[in-house]
C-alpha cells in the first residue's frame, strides 16, 4: 500500500535549501516526491506530520552498537564530574554484588575532574573485593582493582606488552591503570557473553538509537563478544523484524579470516558486511595516540603502537587477499603516516575504498598523499567539545593547524561521514551536528575551538545523511529524499537549519521512519 507523508517541510539534501511538500512511499522505497496536490492521488494511506520538519534518515558513521547497549545496561560514569561523586556511585552500585561477580563500569574521564585524579587499585579495593573493571571514556584504558589484576596474572614482574602499558608506582608495582594491550589481559578473562546477553544489549541500543533519530549506523562489534557467531546472530535476531534499523558491520581483524572462510551470511538490507577493521594506535585521552613528535605535556612519550609495522602490513595484505578494503583506527599523525605507507604499497581493490577512522591529527604532507587514494573518512564532531581545551596543551599549539580539521577536509573534497564513536560519545546526531557547527558545548559561550574549522549547518547535516551514505557505497539509495531511495527519514519538531544554534541538541525527535515504517514516535 502506498503512503503519502505530508504537512511538513521536507529537506531533501539534494542541494542546499531544496525542500518539497510531500513524499509517497511503497514497499520501503520513496516512489514520488513533490507537491502535495500533485501526489495526493497516488497513495491509499496518508500520514499528517502536523507541521514538522523532515530530513533523510540520520546515519551514525562510526560507533559500537552493542557496546552502546552495554553502556545503557551497566554503570555509566560518563557524566561524573569529580572523584568524590565517582566514588559515591561505585559504593552504591557495589551493594549486593557476589564475591565472584564482575563489577563493570565505563565512561570515566579524569579530565572532567578538578583534580584530574585517576583511582588506584587500592581505592577500588575499598569498594569491593569482587573483580572490578572500569573502562575509561576512550575505551583505550581502564582501571582495575587488585582482584582483577590477580585473576589476569598481572604482577610487579609482568612486563609491559608490546602494544600497551601497565602503569606502575615508584616501586614498580602496578597501580591498576592499564592502557591498550595491557587492558586486554583483563578483558580476555571476562566471562564470555551469551547470545541472550548480546541480543539484549543490541535491542536496548537500537531502541535508543531510533529514539534519537538514527536509522542506521556503521558499527564495529564482531570481534568483542567471543566467537563472531554470537554478535552476528544477535544482529540477525534483532534487526529487520519489528525493529527496522540498518547496520553496516565492520569486520574486526581477529575474526575476519574466519568470517571469510565460513562465507558468513548477512541479513541484507538490515545487516551488511563492511571493511576489515583494525587499530594502529590509541587515543589522546590516555596519551596513547601515536605521534611523530612527543607529547608537549609528556616529552618522553610519543604514544603507543597497537601493531608493529610488520603486523600492520600483514593485516592489509590479509584484507587484500580476500579482495577487501580496510577500516583503520588512526588518531595521531604517525598512525596516519604508517597507514599511508602500507596502503600505497598495497592499494585497495578496484571499486573499493579504504576507511580512515578518526584522522584526528594530520599534516599537510599526509593530506596530500590521502588525496591520491580511494578512501573515505569517519570523523567525530563531538570529539571537539570533549577534548578541548586540554588537547592543545597535550599536543602543543604548533600542531593544531591539522587537528580536528573537519572544514579543511571537506574543502579538499574528501568523502566524510559523521559519527559519535558511541559509547565513547553520546550517539544523538543533533549533538554531533551542533558540535560541527559551533565547535563547543551548548553551555559554553565563545567562538568555538579552532573556529575556522566550523561547518555550515548544511555541511554538518550532510555528515549524518548523504556523506555517511557515501562512505558505505549507498550514494544512490540513502542519505537523500529522492525517488528510488530508501524510505528512511527523521522527523523533527523544529527546523535545525533555522533554530538558534545552541537549541539544536534540544530539538525533539517526533518520528523515526525506516523503510517506510514508523520505528519510533515521541508519544508512542
Amino acid at each position: 500500500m502506498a503512503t503519502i507523508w505530508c504537512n511538513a517541510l521536507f529537506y531533501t539534501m539534494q542541494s542546499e535549501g531544496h525542500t518539497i511538500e510531500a513524499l509517497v512511499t511503497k514497499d520501503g522505497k520513496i516512489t514520488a516526491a513533490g507537491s502535495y496536490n500533485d501526489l495526493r492521488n497516488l497513495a491509499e494511506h496518508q500520514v499528517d506530520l502536523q507541521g514538522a520538519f523532515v530530513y533523510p534518515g540520520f546515519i551514525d558513521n562510526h560507533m559500537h552498537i552493542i557496546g552502546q547497549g552495554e553502556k545503557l545496561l551497566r554503570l555509566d560514569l560518563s557524566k561524573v564530574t569529580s572523584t568524590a561523586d565517582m566514588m559515591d556511585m561505585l559504593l552504591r552500585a557495589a551493594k549486593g554484588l557476589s564475591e565472584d561477580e564482575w563489577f563493570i563500569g565505563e565512561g570515566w574521564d579524569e579530565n572532567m575532574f578538578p583534580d584530574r585524579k585517576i583511582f588506584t587499585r587500592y581505592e577500588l579495593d575499598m569498594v569491593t573485593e569482587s573483580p572490578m573493571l572500569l573502562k575509561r571514556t576512550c575505551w583505550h584504558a581502564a582501571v582495575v582493582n587488585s582482584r582483577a589484576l590477580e585473576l589476569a596474572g598481572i604482577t610487579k614482574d609482568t612486563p609491559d606488552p608490546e602494544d600497551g602499558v601497565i602503569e606502575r608506582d615508584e616501586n614498580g608495582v602496578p597501580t591498576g591503570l592499564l592502557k591498550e594491550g595491557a587492558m586486554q589481559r583483563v578483558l580476555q578473562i571476562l566471562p564470555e557473553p551469551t547470545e541472550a546477553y548480546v541480543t539484549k544489549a543490541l535491542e536496548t541500543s537500537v531502541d535508543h538509537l531510533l529514539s534519537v533519530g538514527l536509522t542506521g549506523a556503521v558499527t564495529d562489534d564482531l570481534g568483542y563478544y567471543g566467537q563472531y557467531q554470537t554478535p552476528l546472530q544477535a544482529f540477525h535476531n534483532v534487526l529487520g523484524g519489528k525493529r527496522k534499523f540498518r547496520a553496516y558491520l565492520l569486520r574486526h581483524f581477529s575474526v575476519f579470516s574466519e568470517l571469510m572462510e565460513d562465507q558468513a551470511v548477512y541479513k541484507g538490507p538490515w545487516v551488511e558486511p563492511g571493511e576489515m577493521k583494525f587499530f594502529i594506535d590509541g587515543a589522546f585521552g590516555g596519551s596513547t595516540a601515536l605521534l611523530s613528535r612527543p607529547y608537549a605535556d609528556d616529552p618522553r612519550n610519543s604514544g603507543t603502537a597497537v601493531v608493529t609495522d610488520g603486523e600492520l602490513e600483514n593485516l592489509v595484505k590479509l584484507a587484500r587477499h580476500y579482495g577487501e578494503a580496510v577500516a583503520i583506527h588512526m588518531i595521531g599523525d604517525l598512525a596516519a603516516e604508517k597507514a599511508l605507507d602500507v596502503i600505497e604499497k598495497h592499494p585497495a581493490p578496484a571499486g573499493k575504498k579504504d576507511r580512515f577512522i578518526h584522522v584526528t591529527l594530520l599534516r599537510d604532507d599526509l593530506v596530500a598523499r590521502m588525496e591520491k587514494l580511494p578512501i573515505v573518512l569517519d570523523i567525530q564532531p563531538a570529539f571537539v567539545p570533549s577534548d578541548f581545551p586540554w588537547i592543545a596543551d597535550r599536543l602543543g599549539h604548533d600542531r593544531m593547524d591539522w587537528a580536528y580539521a573537519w572544514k579543511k577536509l571537506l574543502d579538499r573534497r574528501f568523502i566524510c561521514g559523521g559519527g559519535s564513536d558511541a559509547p565513547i560519545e553520546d550517539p544523538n546526531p543533533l549533538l554531533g551536528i551542533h558540535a560541527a557547527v559551533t565547535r563547543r558545548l551548548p553551555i559554553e559561550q565563545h567562538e568555538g575551538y579552532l573556529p575556522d574549522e566550523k561547518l555550515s549547518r548544511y555541511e554538518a547535516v550532510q555528515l549524518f545523511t548523504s556523506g555517511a551514505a557515501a562512505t558505505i557505497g549507498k550514494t544512490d539509495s540513502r542519505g537523500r529524499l529522492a525517488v528510488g531511495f530508501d524510505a528512511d527519514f527523521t522527523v523533527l519538531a523544529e527546523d535545525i537549519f533555522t533554530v538558534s544554534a545552541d537549541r539544536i541538541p534540544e530539538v525533539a525527535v517526533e518520528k523515526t521512519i525506516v523503510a517506510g515504517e514508523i520505528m519510533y514516535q515521541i508519544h508512542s
Side-chain angles (χ1 to χ4, degrees):
M1 180 174 65
T3 299
I4 185 168
W5 307 79
C6 59
N7 192 15
L9 185 63
F10 294 77
Y11 283 98
T12 67
M13 297 304 293
Q14 295 183 59
S15 61
E16 187 167 2
H18 185 257
T19 61
I20 54 177
E21 293 180 352
L23 286 175
V24 176
T25 62
K26 185 177 182 179
D27 298 329
K29 296 287 186 178
I30 297 172
T31 57
S35 72
Y36 175 72
N37 286 335
D38 289 344
L39 304 182
R40 61 182 178 177
N41 294 325
L42 300 180
E44 299 82 24
H45 179 61
Q46 177 171 299
V47 177
D48 185 341
L49 295 174
Q50 301 180 337
F53 301 86
V54 184
Y55 307 81
F58 293 143
I59 302 166
D60 189 302
N61 210 59
H62 182 71
M63 69 180 307
H64 308 266
I65 295 181
I66 297 172
Q68 172 65 15
E70 289 186 289
K71 181 178 180 179
L72 295 171
L73 294 172
R74 290 174 172 171
L75 179 63
D76 181 5
L77 302 169
S78 61
K79 300 297 191 293
V80 178
T81 57
S82 73
T83 49
D85 288 346
M86 182 167 164
M87 180 57 73
D88 287 343
M89 287 186 68
L90 296 177
L91 290 169
R92 289 197 302 270
K95 292 178 180 177
L97 203 65
S98 64
E99 183 178 341
D100 294 322
E101 183 179 356
W102 276 84
F103 183 125
I104 300 177
E106 55 185 75
W108 59 270
D109 182 356
E110 78 281 5
N111 292 302
M112 300 286 287
F113 307 159
D115 57 5
R116 301 284 180 97
K117 177 180 173 58
I118 297 174
F119 284 127
T120 67
R121 61 192 287 188
Y122 307 110
E123 289 159 315
L124 299 186
D125 290 346
M126 294 187 292
V127 175
T128 179
E129 295 181 358
S130 300
M132 179 186 288
L133 168 71
L134 304 179
K135 293 182 184 178
R136 194 184 180 280
T137 182
C138 61
W139 273 27
H140 289 268
V143 63
V144 302
N145 66 357
S146 296
R147 179 75 187 286
L149 288 173
E150 177 187 346
L151 292 173
I154 297 174
T155 69
K156 180 179 180 180
D157 298 322
T158 304
D160 285 0
E162 288 186 1
D163 60 347
V165 176
I166 301 170
E167 289 289 334
R168 306 168 194 271
D169 64 19
E170 62 275 11
N171 298 314
V173 177
T175 64
L177 178 62
L178 306 174
K179 297 181 178 180
E180 303 300 343
M183 179 177 65
Q184 297 302 319
R185 293 280 296 264
V186 176
L187 293 177
Q188 67 188 12
I189 64 171
L190 294 177
E192 187 163 308
T194 64
E195 183 182 315
Y197 168 80
V198 176
T199 297
K200 180 181 179 182
L202 183 57
E203 289 173 340
T204 301
S205 184
V206 170
D207 288 345
H208 177 67
L209 299 178
L210 289 166
S211 77
V212 297
L214 287 166
T215 61
V218 178
T219 185
D220 175 21
D221 299 278
L222 294 185
Y224 304 99
Y225 302 95
Q227 296 182 329
Y228 80 79
Q229 290 89 347
T230 299
L232 183 57
Q233 186 58 49
F235 278 101
H236 292 168
N237 293 343
V238 173
L239 302 185
K242 68 176 184 177
R243 288 181 181 85
K244 288 184 168 55
F245 187 87
R246 305 185 192 273
Y248 182 88
L249 305 185
L250 300 182
R251 290 173 284 183
H252 196 271
F253 76 94
S254 63
V255 296
F256 178 75
S257 293
E258 192 177 1
L259 283 162
M260 300 304 293
E261 292 299 323
D262 290 352
Q263 297 183 339
V265 176
Y266 302 88
K267 187 181 176 182
W270 314 112
V271 184
E272 297 180 295
E275 302 83 17
M276 188 188 85
K277 163 73 185 297
F278 62 92
F279 294 73
I280 290 182
D281 65 347
F284 286 135
S287 297
T288 55
L290 201 57
L291 303 181
S292 56
R293 292 185 287 117
Y295 283 88
D297 61 353
D298 186 3
R300 296 174 299 175
N301 177 30
S302 295
T304 302
V306 177
V307 292
T308 66
D309 290 349
E311 289 169 339
L312 169 57
E313 183 165 12
N314 286 336
L315 285 169
V316 174
K317 289 168 68 175
L318 173 64
R320 304 312 193 220
H321 171 73
Y322 288 103
E324 293 293 341
V326 291
I328 311 176
H329 167 112
M330 55 184 82
I331 296 281
D333 64 324
L334 183 55
E337 182 177 336
K338 288 177 177 291
L340 288 167
D341 289 344
V342 177
I343 286 174
E344 289 167 347
K345 187 177 178 182
H346 304 284
K352 300 205 172 184
K353 292 182 173 66
D354 291 320
R355 180 179 298 269
F356 284 15
I357 301 171
H358 307 312
V359 288
T360 315
L361 181 66
L362 295 168
R363 304 189 309 259
D364 282 320
D365 62 303
L366 300 178
V367 176
R369 293 168 66 185
M370 288 164 56
E371 288 180 304
K372 299 175 183 178
L373 297 173
I375 60 174
V376 299
L377 307 181
D378 289 351
I379 62 176
Q380 290 69 46
F383 281 6
V384 174
S386 290
D387 292 359
F388 282 82
W390 57 264
I391 190 63
D393 293 332
R394 188 152 297 177
L395 295 179
H397 292 275
D398 61 327
R399 275 189 281 213
M400 300 309 290
D401 188 50
W402 272 107
Y404 307 78
W406 319 141
K407 179 66 173 175
K408 281 199 285 289
L409 290 171
L410 285 175
D411 287 348
R412 299 281 275 264
R413 308 193 72 80
F414 284 101
I415 298 172
C416 297
S420 63
D421 204 13
I424 309 306
E425 300 286 349
D426 191 312
N428 184 344
L430 298 181
L431 288 171
I433 291 167
H434 175 270
V437 170
T438 68
R439 294 183 68 91
R440 56 173 173 76
L441 293 171
I443 60 173
E444 295 175 321
Q445 295 301 315
H446 54 76
E447 64 176 350
Y449 300 108
L450 305 179
D452 289 347
E453 295 298 328
K454 289 180 182 178
L455 303 187
S456 71
R457 297 197 195 196
Y458 184 70
E459 289 170 326
V461 174
Q462 276 187 313
L463 290 179
F464 293 89
T465 54
S466 56
T471 75
I472 59 175
K474 303 292 183 181
T475 306
D476 298 326
S477 59
R478 292 180 201 159
R480 291 187 286 150
L481 301 180
V483 173
F485 278 59
D486 291 328
D488 301 349
F489 34 99
T490 303
V491 182
L492 302 181
E494 299 175 74
D495 187 349
I496 56 174
F497 285 119
T498 60
V499 72
S500 67
D502 286 334
R503 292 205 59 254
I504 290 175
E506 301 172 6
V507 172
V509 176
E510 294 202 339
K511 289 181 176 63
T512 304
I513 291 92
V514 183
E517 296 185 35
I518 298 173
M519 290 292 104
Y520 167 83
Q521 53 187 343
I522 195 168
H523 300 302
S524 63

